[in-house]
Amino acid sequence: MKKILFAASESVPFIKTGGLADVVGSLPKYFDKEKYDVRVMLPKYMCMKEEWKEKLTYHTHFYMDLNWRKQYVGVLIYEYEGITFYFIDNEYYFNGFAPYGDMYADIEKFAFFSKAVLSALPVIDFRPDIIHCHDWQTGLIPVYLDNFRFGNEWYRGIKTIMTIHNLKFQGTWDAKRVRDITGLPQYYFAPDKLEAYKDANYLKGGIVYADRITTVSNSYAEEIKMPFYGERLDGLMNARSNCLSGIVNGIDYDDYDPATDTRIEKNYDIESFRREKVKNKVALQKELGLEQDPHTMMIGIVSRLTDQKGFDLVAYVMDELCQDAVQIVVLGTGEEQYENMFRHFEWKYQGKVSANIYYSDPLSHKIYASSDAFLMPSLFEPCGLSQLMSLRYGTLPIVRETGGLRDTVEPYNEYEKTGTGFSFTNYNAHEMLATVRYAERIYYDNKRDWNKIVERAMSQDFSWKNSAKQYEALYDGM
């Protein structure tokens, strides 16, 4: 029986700010229970919903040195869907209205969390073979583990994996302060270890000391070796490329299933989508006050509204796009300029554009089920989950060929009759517009081919089962 510990800063259903939570909450359920004992360790945030907090049971507590401070570490426990979750409790660090606040507080909070994860293991009597760390918040775990090995034989032989969900976020702060917070010896604050460009960098520490590094798609694993995507760590990524691999995320196929989804107007599957899918569109047009016409092509966008997601391209050609026979439905929040841009176009093109500047899970499911196409022109995309959801619902993704988008969406080829969506290569607004218009042409003039693409899209398998098999192979190899 192999013992695996996931260490992360968020997980569904307890606390979520992004895709990381979906991975940590869903993936452990899909491992073979006979061979792998997978458990998860998270911070116990004050901002977790009460319904979850009251289910946690006290397990144990102890005190831990964090440099010159002595800190309380509580451990709470809860079993959810067959997986044991441990919660590290300390009200001083994990208070506040959100899991992440200002960077200075987060740097100390996750130094505490990283050390507490390792210190709690002997106390809860769980010695993992592998600790699987996710993103910069757990980057110090491999560093502390290296440090612990000298003083305590119990920790020798534990392996670590560092998974990078987005290289942009690295957890950097002034090296002198970080040394004071962590209590790590000066030895670790060197350019070949924790230090990057005169600052201490948590993610870099994790990458240097982990036994294996993974990212959330094959293409992204290649891209981050280049300066454009490498966020100033491309040199390190090349140096560690023999230990670097990409495994595409999955989505929960029970939760995202057009045949059983209770949040959508009309259920459908690969056999019945030609008749039934359009009923979702008409219902959504009615709900959002768009012109009710089952034949109009609807383009959906469910996203954080940020530069990374390519909204500067959309802003550039939105006026031109609104001249076409399309409706555009947007859901999400983010940078003010993009929020206001979509509000403006909803006002300017009433009945054609619907801007929903908030987040709603039920509405996101309705958009996946109702739209004909799904627009995702990202500048970079480590994996991306929205395109996997839209494929599942037979809504054809229009994407830029980068990272996970390139790995999961096969561009339509009208001569070979292959493909599951549409894509463009260069980060260019008019190249994007041309691809959208190409999709429009197939939709309006060649409905038979369009439906064949939908069929292929819906028969793709991006469930967690696939990803779990690849992670199992990785664990076994270690």
Side-chain angles (χ1 to χ4, degrees):
M1 183 73 115
K2 289 192 177 63
K3 294 179 181 171
I4 314 290
L5 179 75
F6 275 48
S9 59
E10 54 183 85
S11 164
V12 294
F14 308 104
I15 191 91
K16 173 177 174 170
T17 65
L20 167 66
D22 294 310
V23 179
V24 177
S26 307
L27 180 58
K29 295 186 289 200
Y30 289 89
F31 288 106
D32 183 342
K33 300 271 192 298
E34 307 280 294
K35 297 182 190 158
Y36 301 91
D37 176 3
V38 184
R39 306 185 189 183
V40 182
M41 207 172 264
L42 304 164
K44 178 186 175 277
Y45 298 107
M46 298 281 275
C47 59
M48 271 164 62
K49 284 196 178 125
E50 280 305 321
E51 57 173 300
W52 295 114
K53 282 201 285 200
E54 55 204 29
K55 288 182 175 156
L56 311 181
T57 50
Y58 169 83
H59 188 58
T60 182
H61 78 276
F62 58 93
Y63 286 86
M64 173 184 85
D65 291 333
L66 193 64
N67 202 6
W68 46 271
R69 310 162 191 75
K70 216 171 186 50
Q71 298 291 14
Y72 168 85
V73 183
V75 182
L76 294 98
I77 193 167
Y78 179 60
E79 190 167 303
Y80 178 74
E81 295 188 342
I83 301 296
T84 303
F85 284 84
Y86 297 102
F87 294 83
I88 299 290
D89 182 26
N90 180 305
E91 292 192 356
Y92 170 70
Y93 286 120
F94 301 128
N95 61 10
F97 299 110
Y100 315 121
D102 57 336
M103 199 52 174
Y104 170 66
D106 286 352
I107 284 288
E108 186 168 338
K109 175 194 303 182
F110 291 111
F112 165 79
F113 177 65
S114 294
K115 192 166 185 182
V117 166
L118 292 171
S119 303
L121 292 175
V123 186
I124 60 174
D125 195 27
F126 181 66
R127 187 180 182 282
D129 299 296
I130 295 171
I131 302 177
H132 193 154
C133 310
H134 295 266
D135 268 354
W136 74 263
Q137 291 90 344
T138 56
L140 284 186
I141 291 177
V143 184
Y144 272 125
L145 184 64
D146 181 76
N147 188 242
F148 278 24
R149 283 178 187 142
F150 295 113
N152 191 334
E153 207 165 300
W154 195 87
Y155 290 98
R156 285 178 206 161
I158 296 178
K159 297 274 177 53
T160 51
I161 297 175
M162 188 79 226
T163 293
I164 303 164
H165 295 265
N166 191 339
L167 192 61
K168 197 171 180 65
F169 306 108
Q170 298 177 4
T172 57
W173 200 258
D174 168 52
K176 199 164 160 225
R177 286 288 311 144
V178 171
R179 195 179 160 206
D180 177 60
I181 289 164
T182 58
L184 285 164
Q186 182 67 46
Y187 161 80
Y188 290 101
F189 295 88
D192 62 340
K193 298 181 185 70
L194 262 173
E195 188 204 294
Y197 306 100
K198 303 214 168 18
D199 281 330
N201 182 321
Y202 281 27
L203 184 64
K204 183 185 174 190
I207 294 166
V208 168
Y209 279 101
D211 296 286
R212 288 298 301 259
I213 302 131
T214 69
T215 68
V216 286
S217 70
N218 279 319
S219 289
Y220 192 61
E222 291 304 313
E223 285 172 351
I224 56 178
K225 298 178 197 169
M226 301 180 229
F228 182 78
Y229 297 98
E231 304 290 343
R232 301 171 79 195
L233 292 182
D234 46 289
L236 175 63
M237 288 303 165
N238 279 297
R240 293 233 57 193
S241 59
N242 61 331
C243 300
L244 171 67
S245 54
I247 297 174
V248 169
N249 283 340
I251 54 171
D252 193 326
Y253 265 37
D254 301 330
D255 193 23
Y256 293 94
D257 184 357
T260 57
D261 196 334
T262 53
R263 287 157 280 204
I264 65 178
E265 182 73 18
K266 191 77 186 162
N267 293 119
Y268 59 93
D269 58 20
I270 201 160
E271 263 68 60
S272 64
F273 75 87
R274 288 175 172 79
R275 293 187 312 279
E276 307 295 347
K277 187 172 175 9
V278 69
K279 294 174 184 170
N280 289 295
K281 189 202 299 190
V282 176
L284 190 65
Q285 286 171 334
K286 196 169 167 184
E287 182 184 330
L288 299 176
L290 296 166
E291 287 162 18
Q292 286 174 49
D293 178 356
H295 303 298
T296 304
M297 179 173 174
M298 183 186 278
I299 299 174
I301 295 174
V302 179
S303 177
R304 280 183 301 140
L305 306 179
T306 62
D307 281 338
Q308 180 208 324
K309 300 292 183 183
F311 287 107
D312 48 344
L313 302 188
V314 178
Y316 201 75
V317 294
M318 189 74 175
D319 253 321
E320 284 179 75
L321 188 54
C322 290
Q323 310 306 317
D324 296 2
V326 295
Q327 291 177 337
I328 298 165
V329 180
V330 182
L331 172 66
T333 58
E335 292 168 22
E336 205 176 320
Q337 55 171 335
Y338 299 127
E339 292 186 354
N340 291 337
M341 182 248 314
F342 283 120
R343 287 190 185 108
H344 165 75
F345 284 109
E346 178 180 59
W347 163 81
K348 188 171 178 182
Y349 296 100
Q350 276 165 11
K352 285 195 85 154
V353 180
S354 170
N356 307 280
I357 309 302
Y358 52 89
Y359 186 71
S360 150
D361 189 51
L363 183 58
S364 74
H365 282 253
K366 286 178 189 170
I367 293 173
Y368 290 125
S370 308
S371 304
D372 299 294
F374 189 88
L375 185 59
M376 214 173 161
S378 304
L379 174 63
F380 65 95
E381 193 64 68
C383 176
L385 298 173
S386 299
Q387 83 281 11
L388 304 181
M389 294 161 192
S390 59
L391 286 166
R392 177 78 166 145
Y393 283 82
T395 297
L396 302 186
I398 301 173
V399 301
R400 189 173 97 81
E401 292 171 19
T402 180
L405 300 178
R406 187 169 137 203
D407 291 353
T408 54
V409 179
E410 185 193 346
Y412 170 58
N413 181 325
E414 62 182 286
Y415 304 103
E416 295 177 0
K417 306 291 183 213
T418 56
T420 56
F422 300 86
S423 67
F424 61 101
T425 311
N426 298 306
Y427 194 70
N428 176 297
H430 281 94
E431 198 169 319
M432 176 188 80
L433 183 64
T435 307
V436 174
R437 287 184 167 161
Y438 177 50
E440 287 173 36
R441 200 188 86 208
I442 305 297
Y443 176 80
Y444 283 116
D445 302 345
N446 198 339
K447 201 60 192 237
R448 242 189 108 163
D449 271 16
W450 181 273
N451 286 335
K452 284 288 183 203
I453 310 172
V454 173
E455 243 174 46
R456 288 192 293 272
M458 289 181 77
S459 55
Q460 297 289 306
D461 182 8
F462 289 108
S463 65
W464 277 115
K465 286 192 191 80
N466 270 342
S467 313
K469 280 203 179 71
Q470 294 179 57
Y471 279 113
E472 286 178 3
L474 177 72
Y475 295 157
D476 294 348
M478 291 171 71

